[in-house]
Amino acid sequence: MKIVVTGAAGFIGTRVAGLLRDAGHEVRGFDLRGGEDVTAGDVRDEDAVGRAIDGADAVVHQAAKVGLGVDVRDLPEYVSVNALGTAVLLAAMARRGIARLVLASSMVVYGEGVYDCAEHGRLRPGPRDEKDLAAGRFEPACARCGRALTPGTVDEDVPADPRNAYATSKLAQEHLAAGWARETGGAAVALRYHNVYGPGMPRDTPYSGVAAIFRSALEAGRAPLVFEDGGQRRDFVHVGDVAAANLAALHALESAPPGRLRAYNVASGEPRTIADLADALSAARGGPAPEVTGRYRLGDVRHIVASPDRAASGLGFRARVRFADGMREFAYAPLAG
């Protein structure tokens, strides 16, 4: 199959393109940064996108502005790159009759995870109050009775509740792709990546994931700074597993029903806390020990843990890299500029 991978020079896109080639596909890369087998171009540029995808059988769309952003001034860039860029790509695909799309989405579309209250059942808390965060009360409580909540597992049918510019732009990508599928009869898969880590991850920047930030601190001889109390639960999934999910999604599209988008969590199924992450990396590199700061960021969610079951049944995908093994590798793996 002839496949175009957008964002092919990035952390995840590089790994995806390589695995697709290894599987025997003809892969053409498209990215702001050119390179070997990668055409340089902006996904918002109609002419460049059209030339890049001409003759393709499918597109694997990884190109995006990532991270949670620094402040509200990042809004225009997130909307421009992620929403407008996806719209330009989809319009170009429609004009050329390209009917298969794998979209890199994100778990951030969910916002806060799901919780259970002993009295009121399953619920979705709203954003946490800054007064509670400043007082060190990090766990959401039931809005009706004030009781402590038990975190649950998010599946793909949970309503979206994006909490920042990046999350909103990723959900916009899904809606645009769903509209494209309905109007053209195309088939699309949205892969909702959870916390991706691994070799080639970007170094410590305001847009880096927490794994890279901790790793960069340790490499510089500093203690990883853990926000809140470190009890935030996440699902850390290795970039090699993410690439495998893209390959599985591409194959699933060959028999997918036309005219629809189907979303899948891409997760390890092995939830860990932020403190677990810091401890594992610190131990693998021989210290220094993490420092729990009590600091917080407005807009951060407390717990977001995914169910991997739909991806297992619908794509035949399950993550293979265990947390302990992945952390030992990541502790010394090369990072990107």
Side-chain angles (χ1 to χ4, degrees):
M1 203 185 317
K2 295 179 181 179
I3 305 163
V4 171
V5 178
T6 70
F11 165 48
I12 297 174
T14 300
R15 198 69 174 253
V16 171
L19 185 61
L20 295 181
R21 289 190 182 98
D22 290 345
H25 296 291
E26 180 182 330
V27 178
R28 185 186 312 157
F30 182 75
D31 196 291
L32 274 174
R33 298 172 292 165
E36 186 178 356
D37 298 320
V38 179
T39 300
D42 192 318
V43 74
R44 295 166 291 187
D45 183 331
E46 295 180 23
D47 292 336
V49 169
R51 289 191 298 270
I53 69 171
D54 209 26
D57 299 309
V59 174
V60 178
H61 185 33
Q62 306 290 323
K65 181 174 176 65
V66 299
L68 299 185
V70 175
D71 57 37
V72 72
R73 287 172 291 187
D74 283 333
L75 277 167
E77 188 71 3
Y78 277 110
V79 172
S80 178
V81 175
N82 296 352
L84 176 59
T86 298
V88 169
L89 172 67
L90 293 171
M93 291 175 64
R95 284 192 290 270
R96 289 160 178 80
I98 303 170
R100 283 178 253 183
L101 172 72
V102 177
L103 171 68
S105 187
S106 172
M107 57 88 173
V108 296
V109 302
Y110 296 121
E112 190 67 69
V114 298
Y115 295 77
D116 291 303
C117 172
E119 182 175 351
H120 297 106
R122 179 140 291 191
L123 50 82
R124 301 283 300 285
R128 294 177 292 172
D129 191 284
E130 187 171 10
K131 292 179 181 178
D132 288 332
L133 296 173
R137 294 188 294 269
F138 301 121
E139 292 288 345
C142 178
R144 296 174 64 183
C145 67
R147 291 186 180 184
L149 300 173
T150 301
T153 302
V154 170
D155 64 29
E156 293 84 351
D157 294 325
V158 167
D161 183 20
R163 301 285 178 91
N164 54 58
Y166 173 60
T168 302
S169 70
K170 296 305 287 184
L171 184 58
Q173 287 183 314
E174 289 195 19
H175 287 318
L176 288 165
W180 164 84
R182 285 192 301 270
E183 292 185 33
T184 66
V189 166
L191 299 177
R192 292 174 176 169
Y193 301 160
H194 284 251
N195 291 68
V196 186
Y197 73 94
M201 195 173 188
R203 287 187 178 276
D204 186 7
T205 77
Y207 304 94
S208 293
V210 67
I213 291 170
F214 288 171
R215 162 61 201 281
S216 294
L218 287 163
E219 193 171 41
R222 303 190 307 270
L225 300 180
V226 178
F227 277 25
E228 301 187 17
D229 60 0
Q232 310 94 303
R233 295 171 75 239
R234 299 290 189 271
D235 188 303
F236 298 97
V237 58
H238 192 275
V239 66
D241 283 326
V242 172
N246 276 268
L247 178 60
L250 192 65
H251 290 167
L253 283 175
E254 296 180 26
S255 57
R260 61 177 296 189
L261 175 143
R262 183 79 161 160
Y264 296 90
N265 287 323
V266 177
S268 72
E270 190 180 1
R272 297 284 180 163
T273 67
I274 298 296
D276 289 339
L277 171 69
D279 288 340
L281 288 173
S282 180
R285 288 192 67 97
E291 177 185 336
V292 178
T293 67
R295 292 165 58 191
Y296 59 87
R297 295 191 307 178
L298 287 177
D300 276 358
V301 298
R302 180 63 176 175
H303 303 298
I304 177 72
V305 173
S307 167
D309 292 344
R310 181 184 287 181
S313 60
L315 303 179
F317 166 77
R318 280 201 181 274
R320 295 177 178 271
V321 180
R322 302 298 302 272
F323 179 82
D325 297 333
M327 288 299 120
R328 281 192 293 269
E329 176 203 39
F330 184 58
Y332 288 96
L335 301 181

